[in-house]
Amino acid sequence: MDPLLALGGVLALVAAATLLGLAWRARQDRYTTVVEAPALTPADLASTVSFGADATLVQFSTEHCARCPGTRTMLANVARSRPGVVHIEVDLTHRADLARRFQVLQTPTTLILDRSGRVRERVGGAPHRAGIIAHLDTLPGSLHANLPH
Amino acid sequence: MPTSPTDPGGAGASAGAPRPRRADLDPRGPRFGAGITAVLLLVVVFLSLIGASAAALSLLAGLAVLFAWGAFAGAGRHPWGLLFKRFVRPRLAPPTALENPAPPTFAQGVGLLVTLVGVVLGLAGLAPAVGIAAAAAFIAAFLNAVFDYCLGCQLFLLLVRAGLLGRGPRDAR
């Protein structure tokens, strides 16, 4: 092949990879509102930790996940700073059934459960703290503003 | 190219010290290495397109050896990683967080598999396979270097879901 043409092919490959990357990035930290989800219990998540009185942050991880530890630190921090909010991390490495049941296609994936254990929001990719806080604030019956101390 | 210090509110800045693990990596190391690998893979694609099949095959074989190094010795001991530690990291601010070396090591194994298929098919006389394998590996390395995309993490999850990795209860739905 003519070297110039080959160079064009190489540039096209770089362009295609860039488009792929942009498409992937656009889907990160994107919230999906879940309607009419059934109420979950900790047993559904193979968790021994009780759900939060106000909300529960369920984080799906695997052992091979670069961003899960950072997300764990952030979500645990949010849970510590807000009474009534609990963070639960579910390792899917040995629980393929949970990965399929909750249709987890990337890690981390985080579910925000309300006080009754229903999934209200779902976010794929590493979320930002501000987004999590904002969605916790919009949960029905959020007592965050006037909690007794 | 660090993407890190964007988290507002400084999660874990005060008391929340992350538990330290021994062989954790500066996440910028594997990305730096992926950048070098991506450029070399692009050279393979170019060589393959202009018909320099022998040169393309040799370079891809060399890259396969490097992937094998990373996959078996761990991402932290990869030659590009050593280059990063020696020449790049001293010029950067300390990392805001360290990362588990398992995902990049797994990704090196995936790179090894893809490049090895290209090398074997190339040796068998199927010259275009060299360029195709290099292009596939390039996309993964490029996404890793530029967008911080972790192909190893993604494939690991999909393999777990397919029941090929990890061990789950047999009563899985």
Side-chain angles (χ1 to χ4, degrees):
Chain A
M1 190 187 279
D2 179 61
L4 261 176
L5 210 58
L7 201 62
V10 163
L11 288 179
L13 180 61
V14 175
T18 306
L19 286 178
L20 263 179
L22 290 175
W24 172 76
R25 182 180 277 177
R27 295 189 48 185
Q28 296 303 294
D29 194 17
R30 174 85 68 85
Y31 286 78
T32 314
T33 303
V34 181
V35 283
E36 310 240 340
L40 299 174
T41 63
D44 287 319
L45 301 166
S47 168
T48 51
V49 181
S50 303
F51 285 169
D54 288 331
T56 306
L57 302 168
V58 178
Q59 175 191 347
F60 292 113
S61 305
T62 65
E63 289 169 5
H64 286 63
C65 172
R67 294 187 167 183
C68 293
T71 297
R72 174 201 305 139
T73 305
M74 189 275 285
L75 293 179
N77 203 284
V78 169
R80 261 199 307 276
S81 68
R82 293 175 71 110
V85 176
V86 166
H87 169 230
I88 293 176
E89 184 175 16
V90 181
D91 185 352
L92 298 175
T93 306
H94 304 295
R95 293 301 305 245
D97 55 324
L98 291 180
R100 286 189 284 262
R101 177 176 171 192
F102 291 97
Q103 297 175 346
V104 181
L105 285 172
Q106 62 173 334
T107 51
T109 288
T110 304
L111 308 177
I112 302 181
L113 312 189
D114 65 13
R115 53 176 54 188
S116 64
R118 286 175 214 280
V119 181
R120 304 303 291 236
E121 299 282 343
R122 178 187 177 103
V123 54
H128 280 96
R129 184 187 171 89
I132 294 286
I133 301 265
H135 282 90
L136 284 177
D137 283 339
T138 60
L139 281 184
S142 168
L143 292 177
H144 175 64
N146 45 15
L147 262 177
H149 285 281
Chain B
M1 51 160 52
T3 53
S4 20
T6 49
D7 188 19
S14 52
R19 61 197 103 153
R21 263 168 308 177
R22 249 176 310 144
D24 275 0
L25 293 177
D26 184 335
R28 297 167 296 184
R31 283 182 73 180
F32 170 80
I36 300 178
T37 304
V39 170
L40 293 175
L41 285 165
L42 215 49
V43 173
V44 175
V45 174
F46 180 76
L47 290 172
S48 173
L49 282 178
I50 61 169
S53 305
L57 181 58
S58 327
L59 184 52
L60 190 67
L63 287 169
V65 170
L66 287 176
F67 276 126
W69 190 327
F72 294 116
R77 296 198 196 87
H78 193 280
W80 302 155
L82 302 179
L83 212 61
F84 173 80
K85 265 183 227 161
R86 172 77 62 84
F87 297 108
V88 183
R89 188 165 168 174
R91 294 158 200 273
L92 300 177
T96 49
L98 294 180
E99 270 183 9
N100 183 352
T105 301
F106 183 75
Q108 291 281 313
V110 174
L112 172 63
L113 188 72
V114 172
T115 50
L116 205 58
V117 167
V119 169
V120 168
L121 290 179
L123 284 175
L126 199 64
V130 173
I132 292 170
F138 163 77
I139 290 176
F142 176 86
L143 291 179
N144 184 200
V146 178
F147 292 95
D148 201 12
Y149 173 76
C150 176
L151 181 72
C153 308
Q154 188 70 59
L155 286 179
F156 185 85
L157 174 64
L158 296 182
L159 291 173
V160 163
R161 277 190 63 149
L164 298 172
L165 278 180
R167 272 167 296 135
R170 275 277 145 241
D171 59 339
R173 280 163 234 215

